[in-house]
Amino acid sequence: RWQKIFMFPLWSKMAVFWNKMFLTIIVLLIVLFLDAVREVRKYSSVHVNEKAANVNSSAFDHIQMKLFRSQRNLYLSGFSLFLWLVLRRTVTLLTQLAKEMASHAALETQVNDATEAAKKYMAENERLQEALSGKGDSKKKESTDATEEKLKEEVERLKAELQKTSNAFHKAKTEVAAFKKQSEGLRREYDHLMKEFEQLQQSLNKAEDKKDL
């Protein structure tokens, strides 16, 4: 069902503009993040200077409001940029994994078909051998021998094809396992980065509390 949904022509048309849209959003988030860093530095220094100068409370509250907004924009833009990159990487890995699983299923079907064909030819070969042992006509034996040789060649060809398909199947299985391990590594890296982001946010909050004191 999901394969039918994602095979709509609309998605293939949108895929042409996807990379451009992704780069545009990345550039926009980077600009917003850098602007937020600049605003935080600006109002942090002004906040310290105004606090030391003991100005009126309305101006000091206005500076605090500006500082709070700049810090909020910094957190939002930084976290959005981080999540957007993680989302891009996750979508790429899921797409590769889906392709490998589809090729894995196709190879498995080919292996089953080749196995059934080999069994069929082997059964026909056994019947011909039984028919050959029960008949004494030389012409029929010659024709049966020729047919048997053809069947043997066909069986050998199918065995070689089966071996080739089996190797491709094992290779695809190994690649699928590698993508799964890569996805698990990405998930662990994401959890680690989230912990570091929380620690950084806590340290920033502690630093701001110390400045207020």
PDB file of all heavy atoms in Angstrom, residues 36-52 60 63-64 66-68 70-71 74 204 207-208 211-212:
ATOM      1  N   ALA A  36      20.764  35.313  15.403  1.00  0.00           N
ATOM      2  CA  ALA A  36      20.396  35.142  16.807  1.00  0.00           C
ATOM      3  C   ALA A  36      21.635  35.190  17.708  1.00  0.00           C
ATOM      4  O   ALA A  36      21.600  35.773  18.801  1.00  0.00           O
ATOM      5  CB  ALA A  36      19.663  33.815  16.995  1.00  0.00           C
ATOM      6  N   VAL A  37      22.751  34.589  17.256  1.00  0.00           N
ATOM      7  CA  VAL A  37      24.003  34.658  18.032  1.00  0.00           C
ATOM      8  C   VAL A  37      24.463  36.102  18.172  1.00  0.00           C
ATOM      9  O   VAL A  37      24.888  36.546  19.256  1.00  0.00           O
ATOM     10  CB  VAL A  37      25.083  33.795  17.357  1.00  0.00           C
ATOM     11  CG1 VAL A  37      26.437  34.018  18.020  1.00  0.00           C
ATOM     12  CG2 VAL A  37      24.709  32.325  17.418  1.00  0.00           C
ATOM     13  N   ARG A  38      24.377  36.855  17.091  1.00  0.00           N
ATOM     14  CA  ARG A  38      24.772  38.261  17.144  1.00  0.00           C
ATOM     15  C   ARG A  38      23.900  39.058  18.102  1.00  0.00           C
ATOM     16  O   ARG A  38      24.398  39.874  18.901  1.00  0.00           O
ATOM     17  CB  ARG A  38      24.689  38.864  15.731  1.00  0.00           C
ATOM     18  CG  ARG A  38      25.154  40.306  15.636  1.00  0.00           C
ATOM     19  CD  ARG A  38      24.957  40.838  14.223  1.00  0.00           C
ATOM     20  NE  ARG A  38      23.539  40.857  13.858  1.00  0.00           N
ATOM     21  CZ  ARG A  38      22.696  41.830  14.188  1.00  0.00           C
ATOM     22  NH1 ARG A  38      23.114  42.880  14.903  1.00  0.00           N
ATOM     23  NH2 ARG A  38      21.425  41.771  13.825  1.00  0.00           N
ATOM     24  N   GLU A  39      22.587  38.806  18.064  1.00  0.00           N
ATOM     25  CA  GLU A  39      21.677  39.529  18.951  1.00  0.00           C
ATOM     26  C   GLU A  39      21.932  39.165  20.420  1.00  0.00           C
ATOM     27  O   GLU A  39      21.867  40.032  21.303  1.00  0.00           O
ATOM     28  CB  GLU A  39      20.231  39.192  18.567  1.00  0.00           C
ATOM     29  CG  GLU A  39      19.797  39.761  17.229  1.00  0.00           C
ATOM     30  CD  GLU A  39      19.697  41.279  17.245  1.00  0.00           C
ATOM     31  OE1 GLU A  39      19.339  41.827  18.290  1.00  0.00           O
ATOM     32  OE2 GLU A  39      20.004  41.908  16.212  1.00  0.00           O
ATOM     33  N   VAL A  40      22.207  37.884  20.685  1.00  0.00           N
ATOM     34  CA  VAL A  40      22.471  37.475  22.072  1.00  0.00           C
ATOM     35  C   VAL A  40      23.723  38.165  22.601  1.00  0.00           C
ATOM     36  O   VAL A  40      23.753  38.664  23.737  1.00  0.00           O
ATOM     37  CB  VAL A  40      22.607  35.941  22.148  1.00  0.00           C
ATOM     38  CG1 VAL A  40      23.170  35.516  23.503  1.00  0.00           C
ATOM     39  CG2 VAL A  40      21.253  35.275  21.942  1.00  0.00           C
ATOM     40  N   ARG A  41      24.781  38.213  21.811  1.00  0.00           N
ATOM     41  CA  ARG A  41      26.007  38.888  22.251  1.00  0.00           C
ATOM     42  C   ARG A  41      25.773  40.385  22.459  1.00  0.00           C
ATOM     43  O   ARG A  41      26.278  40.974  23.419  1.00  0.00           O
ATOM     44  CB  ARG A  41      27.104  38.672  21.214  1.00  0.00           C
ATOM     45  CG  ARG A  41      27.627  37.253  21.157  1.00  0.00           C
ATOM     46  CD  ARG A  41      28.740  37.124  20.136  1.00  0.00           C
ATOM     47  NE  ARG A  41      29.298  35.779  20.108  1.00  0.00           N
ATOM     48  CZ  ARG A  41      30.269  35.392  19.283  1.00  0.00           C
ATOM     49  NH1 ARG A  41      30.799  36.272  18.432  1.00  0.00           N
ATOM     50  NH2 ARG A  41      30.711  34.145  19.316  1.00  0.00           N
ATOM     51  N   LYS A  42      25.014  40.956  21.549  1.00  0.00           N
ATOM     52  CA  LYS A  42      24.762  42.392  21.634  1.00  0.00           C
ATOM     53  C   LYS A  42      24.011  42.746  22.913  1.00  0.00           C
ATOM     54  O   LYS A  42      24.452  43.609  23.695  1.00  0.00           O
ATOM     55  CB  LYS A  42      23.962  42.841  20.404  1.00  0.00           C
ATOM     56  CG  LYS A  42      23.502  44.286  20.441  1.00  0.00           C
ATOM     57  CD  LYS A  42      22.653  44.590  19.212  1.00  0.00           C
ATOM     58  CE  LYS A  42      22.087  45.997  19.282  1.00  0.00           C
ATOM     59  NZ  LYS A  42      21.214  46.293  18.113  1.00  0.00           N
ATOM     60  N   TYR A  43      22.875  42.076  23.146  1.00  0.00           N
ATOM     61  CA  TYR A  43      22.060  42.429  24.304  1.00  0.00           C
ATOM     62  C   TYR A  43      22.636  41.901  25.612  1.00  0.00           C
ATOM     63  O   TYR A  43      22.291  42.406  26.675  1.00  0.00           O
ATOM     64  CB  TYR A  43      20.632  41.916  24.096  1.00  0.00           C
ATOM     65  CG  TYR A  43      19.894  42.701  23.045  1.00  0.00           C
ATOM     66  CD1 TYR A  43      19.576  42.117  21.818  1.00  0.00           C
ATOM     67  CD2 TYR A  43      19.516  44.022  23.245  1.00  0.00           C
ATOM     68  CE1 TYR A  43      18.902  42.830  20.833  1.00  0.00           C
ATOM     69  CE2 TYR A  43      18.851  44.747  22.275  1.00  0.00           C
ATOM     70  CZ  TYR A  43      18.541  44.147  21.070  1.00  0.00           C
ATOM     71  OH  TYR A  43      17.884  44.854  20.105  1.00  0.00           O
ATOM     72  N   SER A  44      23.506  40.895  25.560  1.00  0.00           N
ATOM     73  CA  SER A  44      24.170  40.448  26.789  1.00  0.00           C
ATOM     74  C   SER A  44      25.125  41.526  27.288  1.00  0.00           C
ATOM     75  O   SER A  44      25.164  41.836  28.491  1.00  0.00           O
ATOM     76  CB  SER A  44      24.923  39.146  26.528  1.00  0.00           C
ATOM     77  OG  SER A  44      24.020  38.107  26.229  1.00  0.00           O
ATOM     78  N   SER A  45      25.904  42.098  26.363  1.00  0.00           N
ATOM     79  CA  SER A  45      26.822  43.170  26.771  1.00  0.00           C
ATOM     80  C   SER A  45      26.064  44.413  27.225  1.00  0.00           C
ATOM     81  O   SER A  45      26.407  45.049  28.229  1.00  0.00           O
ATOM     82  CB  SER A  45      27.743  43.526  25.604  1.00  0.00           C
ATOM     83  OG  SER A  45      26.990  43.962  24.488  1.00  0.00           O
ATOM     84  N   VAL A  46      24.977  44.753  26.510  1.00  0.00           N
ATOM     85  CA  VAL A  46      24.177  45.910  26.913  1.00  0.00           C
ATOM     86  C   VAL A  46      23.523  45.660  28.264  1.00  0.00           C
ATOM     87  O   VAL A  46      23.420  46.562  29.116  1.00  0.00           O
ATOM     88  CB  VAL A  46      23.116  46.222  25.824  1.00  0.00           C
ATOM     89  CG1 VAL A  46      22.170  47.308  26.298  1.00  0.00           C
ATOM     90  CG2 VAL A  46      23.800  46.642  24.539  1.00  0.00           C
ATOM     91  N   HIS A  47      23.082  44.409  28.491  1.00  0.00           N
ATOM     92  CA  HIS A  47      22.440  44.061  29.763  1.00  0.00           C
ATOM     93  C   HIS A  47      23.401  44.253  30.938  1.00  0.00           C
ATOM     94  O   HIS A  47      23.034  44.807  31.979  1.00  0.00           O
ATOM     95  CB  HIS A  47      21.970  42.612  29.676  1.00  0.00           C
ATOM     96  CG  HIS A  47      21.390  42.094  30.954  1.00  0.00           C
ATOM     97  ND1 HIS A  47      20.131  42.427  31.393  1.00  0.00           N
ATOM     98  CD2 HIS A  47      21.918  41.268  31.897  1.00  0.00           C
ATOM     99  CE1 HIS A  47      19.900  41.821  32.549  1.00  0.00           C
ATOM    100  NE2 HIS A  47      20.964  41.107  32.873  1.00  0.00           N
ATOM    101  N   VAL A  48      24.655  43.809  30.748  1.00  0.00           N
ATOM    102  CA  VAL A  48      25.641  43.950  31.818  1.00  0.00           C
ATOM    103  C   VAL A  48      25.961  45.421  32.056  1.00  0.00           C
ATOM    104  O   VAL A  48      26.049  45.886  33.197  1.00  0.00           O
ATOM    105  CB  VAL A  48      26.907  43.153  31.459  1.00  0.00           C
ATOM    106  CG1 VAL A  48      28.008  43.421  32.488  1.00  0.00           C
ATOM    107  CG2 VAL A  48      26.587  41.673  31.403  1.00  0.00           C
ATOM    108  N   ASN A  49      26.123  46.179  30.983  1.00  0.00           N
ATOM    109  CA  ASN A  49      26.462  47.609  31.126  1.00  0.00           C
ATOM    110  C   ASN A  49      25.339  48.397  31.791  1.00  0.00           C
ATOM    111  O   ASN A  49      25.578  49.242  32.665  1.00  0.00           O
ATOM    112  CB  ASN A  49      26.775  48.202  29.750  1.00  0.00           C
ATOM    113  CG  ASN A  49      28.038  47.621  29.152  1.00  0.00           C
ATOM    114  OD1 ASN A  49      28.935  47.195  29.879  1.00  0.00           O
ATOM    115  ND2 ASN A  49      28.103  47.569  27.828  1.00  0.00           N
ATOM    116  N   GLU A  50      24.106  48.132  31.366  1.00  0.00           N
ATOM    117  CA  GLU A  50      22.978  48.858  31.950  1.00  0.00           C
ATOM    118  C   GLU A  50      22.770  48.462  33.412  1.00  0.00           C
ATOM    119  O   GLU A  50      22.371  49.286  34.251  1.00  0.00           O
ATOM    120  CB  GLU A  50      21.702  48.568  31.140  1.00  0.00           C
ATOM    121  CG  GLU A  50      21.726  49.125  29.720  1.00  0.00           C
ATOM    122  CD  GLU A  50      21.718  50.640  29.705  1.00  0.00           C
ATOM    123  OE1 GLU A  50      21.292  51.232  30.709  1.00  0.00           O
ATOM    124  OE2 GLU A  50      22.174  51.238  28.715  1.00  0.00           O
ATOM    125  N   LYS A  51      23.034  47.202  33.724  1.00  0.00           N
ATOM    126  CA  LYS A  51      22.880  46.770  35.122  1.00  0.00           C
ATOM    127  C   LYS A  51      23.925  47.436  36.007  1.00  0.00           C
ATOM    128  O   LYS A  51      23.666  47.799  37.162  1.00  0.00           O
ATOM    129  CB  LYS A  51      22.991  45.246  35.192  1.00  0.00           C
ATOM    130  CG  LYS A  51      22.680  44.671  36.559  1.00  0.00           C
ATOM    131  CD  LYS A  51      22.692  43.159  36.516  1.00  0.00           C
ATOM    132  CE  LYS A  51      22.362  42.587  37.896  1.00  0.00           C
ATOM    133  NZ  LYS A  51      22.382  41.090  37.873  1.00  0.00           N
ATOM    134  N   ALA A  52      25.140  47.572  35.441  1.00  0.00           N
ATOM    135  CA  ALA A  52      26.201  48.217  36.229  1.00  0.00           C
ATOM    136  C   ALA A  52      25.957  49.719  36.364  1.00  0.00           C
ATOM    137  O   ALA A  52      26.351  50.337  37.348  1.00  0.00           O
ATOM    138  CB  ALA A  52      27.557  47.970  35.569  1.00  0.00           C
ATOM    139  N   PHE A  60      15.814  48.947  31.678  1.00  0.00           N
ATOM    140  CA  PHE A  60      16.432  47.668  32.008  1.00  0.00           C
ATOM    141  C   PHE A  60      15.518  46.506  31.641  1.00  0.00           C
ATOM    142  O   PHE A  60      15.971  45.472  31.108  1.00  0.00           O
ATOM    143  CB  PHE A  60      16.765  47.651  33.502  1.00  0.00           C
ATOM    144  CG  PHE A  60      17.539  46.441  33.930  1.00  0.00           C
ATOM    145  CD1 PHE A  60      18.873  46.289  33.582  1.00  0.00           C
ATOM    146  CD2 PHE A  60      16.913  45.451  34.668  1.00  0.00           C
ATOM    147  CE1 PHE A  60      19.573  45.171  33.969  1.00  0.00           C
ATOM    148  CE2 PHE A  60      17.615  44.325  35.058  1.00  0.00           C
ATOM    149  CZ  PHE A  60      18.953  44.187  34.716  1.00  0.00           C
ATOM    150  N   ILE A  63      15.588  45.945  27.882  1.00  0.00           N
ATOM    151  CA  ILE A  63      16.798  45.217  27.465  1.00  0.00           C
ATOM    152  C   ILE A  63      16.679  43.739  27.809  1.00  0.00           C
ATOM    153  O   ILE A  63      17.068  42.863  27.031  1.00  0.00           O
ATOM    154  CB  ILE A  63      18.036  45.839  28.129  1.00  0.00           C
ATOM    155  CG1 ILE A  63      18.251  47.261  27.597  1.00  0.00           C
ATOM    156  CG2 ILE A  63      19.267  44.986  27.883  1.00  0.00           C
ATOM    157  CD1 ILE A  63      19.313  48.026  28.322  1.00  0.00           C
ATOM    158  N   GLN A  64      16.121  43.455  28.978  1.00  0.00           N
ATOM    159  CA  GLN A  64      15.915  42.049  29.335  1.00  0.00           C
ATOM    160  C   GLN A  64      14.965  41.355  28.369  1.00  0.00           C
ATOM    161  O   GLN A  64      15.164  40.187  27.998  1.00  0.00           O
ATOM    162  CB  GLN A  64      15.363  41.959  30.758  1.00  0.00           C
ATOM    163  CG  GLN A  64      16.418  42.122  31.841  1.00  0.00           C
ATOM    164  CD  GLN A  64      15.845  41.864  33.216  1.00  0.00           C
ATOM    165  OE1 GLN A  64      14.674  42.125  33.461  1.00  0.00           O
ATOM    166  NE2 GLN A  64      16.670  41.352  34.101  1.00  0.00           N
ATOM    167  N   LYS A  66      14.509  42.134  25.175  1.00  0.00           N
ATOM    168  CA  LYS A  66      15.249  41.920  23.937  1.00  0.00           C
ATOM    169  C   LYS A  66      16.205  40.730  24.055  1.00  0.00           C
ATOM    170  O   LYS A  66      16.364  39.932  23.128  1.00  0.00           O
ATOM    171  CB  LYS A  66      16.038  43.190  23.583  1.00  0.00           C
ATOM    172  CG  LYS A  66      15.182  44.379  23.191  1.00  0.00           C
ATOM    173  CD  LYS A  66      14.576  44.174  21.817  1.00  0.00           C
ATOM    174  CE  LYS A  66      13.858  45.432  21.344  1.00  0.00           C
ATOM    175  NZ  LYS A  66      13.267  45.244  19.994  1.00  0.00           N
ATOM    176  N   LEU A  67      16.875  40.614  25.219  1.00  0.00           N
ATOM    177  CA  LEU A  67      17.796  39.509  25.438  1.00  0.00           C
ATOM    178  C   LEU A  67      17.064  38.173  25.455  1.00  0.00           C
ATOM    179  O   LEU A  67      17.524  37.181  24.876  1.00  0.00           O
ATOM    180  CB  LEU A  67      18.552  39.723  26.756  1.00  0.00           C
ATOM    181  CG  LEU A  67      19.558  38.632  27.151  1.00  0.00           C
ATOM    182  CD1 LEU A  67      20.654  38.502  26.090  1.00  0.00           C
ATOM    183  CD2 LEU A  67      20.164  38.944  28.510  1.00  0.00           C
ATOM    184  N   PHE A  68      15.898  38.146  26.109  1.00  0.00           N
ATOM    185  CA  PHE A  68      15.114  36.917  26.152  1.00  0.00           C
ATOM    186  C   PHE A  68      14.671  36.491  24.745  1.00  0.00           C
ATOM    187  O   PHE A  68      14.741  35.308  24.384  1.00  0.00           O
ATOM    188  CB  PHE A  68      13.896  37.112  27.051  1.00  0.00           C
ATOM    189  CG  PHE A  68      12.914  35.990  26.989  1.00  0.00           C
ATOM    190  CD1 PHE A  68      13.173  34.782  27.622  1.00  0.00           C
ATOM    191  CD2 PHE A  68      11.727  36.132  26.278  1.00  0.00           C
ATOM    192  CE1 PHE A  68      12.266  33.745  27.556  1.00  0.00           C
ATOM    193  CE2 PHE A  68      10.819  35.099  26.208  1.00  0.00           C
ATOM    194  CZ  PHE A  68      11.079  33.905  26.847  1.00  0.00           C
ATOM    195  N   SER A  70      16.105  37.248  21.861  1.00  0.00           N
ATOM    196  CA  SER A  70      17.264  36.813  21.081  1.00  0.00           C
ATOM    197  C   SER A  70      17.699  35.402  21.489  1.00  0.00           C
ATOM    198  O   SER A  70      18.048  34.578  20.636  1.00  0.00           O
ATOM    199  CB  SER A  70      18.414  37.796  21.249  1.00  0.00           C
ATOM    200  OG  SER A  70      18.803  37.888  22.620  1.00  0.00           O
ATOM    201  N   GLN A  71      17.659  35.105  22.806  1.00  0.00           N
ATOM    202  CA  GLN A  71      17.990  33.756  23.254  1.00  0.00           C
ATOM    203  C   GLN A  71      16.965  32.736  22.754  1.00  0.00           C
ATOM    204  O   GLN A  71      17.321  31.625  22.350  1.00  0.00           O
ATOM    205  CB  GLN A  71      18.066  33.720  24.774  1.00  0.00           C
ATOM    206  CG  GLN A  71      19.271  34.430  25.345  1.00  0.00           C
ATOM    207  CD  GLN A  71      19.237  34.480  26.854  1.00  0.00           C
ATOM    208  OE1 GLN A  71      18.210  34.225  27.468  1.00  0.00           O
ATOM    209  NE2 GLN A  71      20.361  34.826  27.459  1.00  0.00           N
ATOM    210  N   LEU A  74      17.684  32.052  19.213  1.00  0.00           N
ATOM    211  CA  LEU A  74      18.889  31.233  19.094  1.00  0.00           C
ATOM    212  C   LEU A  74      18.559  29.761  19.313  1.00  0.00           C
ATOM    213  O   LEU A  74      18.986  28.895  18.536  1.00  0.00           O
ATOM    214  CB  LEU A  74      19.933  31.708  20.104  1.00  0.00           C
ATOM    215  CG  LEU A  74      21.219  30.873  20.188  1.00  0.00           C
ATOM    216  CD1 LEU A  74      21.984  30.955  18.875  1.00  0.00           C
ATOM    217  CD2 LEU A  74      22.091  31.340  21.348  1.00  0.00           C
ATOM    218  N   LEU A 204      23.968  27.403  29.585  1.00  0.00           N
ATOM    219  CA  LEU A 204      23.618  28.767  29.198  1.00  0.00           C
ATOM    220  C   LEU A 204      22.630  29.389  30.189  1.00  0.00           C
ATOM    221  O   LEU A 204      22.737  30.561  30.549  1.00  0.00           O
ATOM    222  CB  LEU A 204      23.032  28.774  27.785  1.00  0.00           C
ATOM    223  CG  LEU A 204      24.031  28.565  26.641  1.00  0.00           C
ATOM    224  CD1 LEU A 204      23.291  28.441  25.317  1.00  0.00           C
ATOM    225  CD2 LEU A 204      25.030  29.699  26.585  1.00  0.00           C
ATOM    226  N   ALA A 207      24.512  30.297  33.260  1.00  0.00           N
ATOM    227  CA  ALA A 207      25.322  31.502  33.046  1.00  0.00           C
ATOM    228  C   ALA A 207      24.464  32.760  33.084  1.00  0.00           C
ATOM    229  O   ALA A 207      24.856  33.783  33.656  1.00  0.00           O
ATOM    230  CB  ALA A 207      26.058  31.391  31.710  1.00  0.00           C
ATOM    231  N   GLU A 208      23.267  32.677  32.491  1.00  0.00           N
ATOM    232  CA  GLU A 208      22.371  33.839  32.500  1.00  0.00           C
ATOM    233  C   GLU A 208      21.877  34.129  33.925  1.00  0.00           C
ATOM    234  O   GLU A 208      21.722  35.279  34.317  1.00  0.00           O
ATOM    235  CB  GLU A 208      21.190  33.593  31.567  1.00  0.00           C
ATOM    236  CG  GLU A 208      21.563  33.549  30.102  1.00  0.00           C
ATOM    237  CD  GLU A 208      22.180  34.840  29.631  1.00  0.00           C
ATOM    238  OE1 GLU A 208      21.782  35.894  30.177  1.00  0.00           O
ATOM    239  OE2 GLU A 208      23.058  34.804  28.758  1.00  0.00           O
ATOM    240  N   LYS A 211      24.541  35.949  35.671  1.00  0.00           N
ATOM    241  CA  LYS A 211      24.630  37.338  35.249  1.00  0.00           C
ATOM    242  C   LYS A 211      23.537  38.171  35.908  1.00  0.00           C
ATOM    243  O   LYS A 211      23.741  39.321  36.304  1.00  0.00           O
ATOM    244  CB  LYS A 211      24.492  37.445  33.725  1.00  0.00           C
ATOM    245  CG  LYS A 211      25.734  36.933  32.986  1.00  0.00           C
ATOM    246  CD  LYS A 211      25.537  37.089  31.484  1.00  0.00           C
ATOM    247  CE  LYS A 211      26.784  36.626  30.747  1.00  0.00           C
ATOM    248  NZ  LYS A 211      26.608  36.764  29.282  1.00  0.00           N
ATOM    249  N   ASP A 212      22.343  37.595  36.023  1.00  0.00           N
ATOM    250  CA  ASP A 212      21.249  38.311  36.679  1.00  0.00           C
ATOM    251  C   ASP A 212      21.565  38.592  38.138  1.00  0.00           C
ATOM    252  O   ASP A 212      21.195  39.633  38.694  1.00  0.00           O
ATOM    253  CB  ASP A 212      19.948  37.509  36.546  1.00  0.00           C
ATOM    254  CG  ASP A 212      19.494  37.456  35.104  1.00  0.00           C
ATOM    255  OD1 ASP A 212      19.878  38.336  34.322  1.00  0.00           O
ATOM    256  OD2 ASP A 212      18.730  36.504  34.769  1.00  0.00           O
TER     257      ASP A 212
END
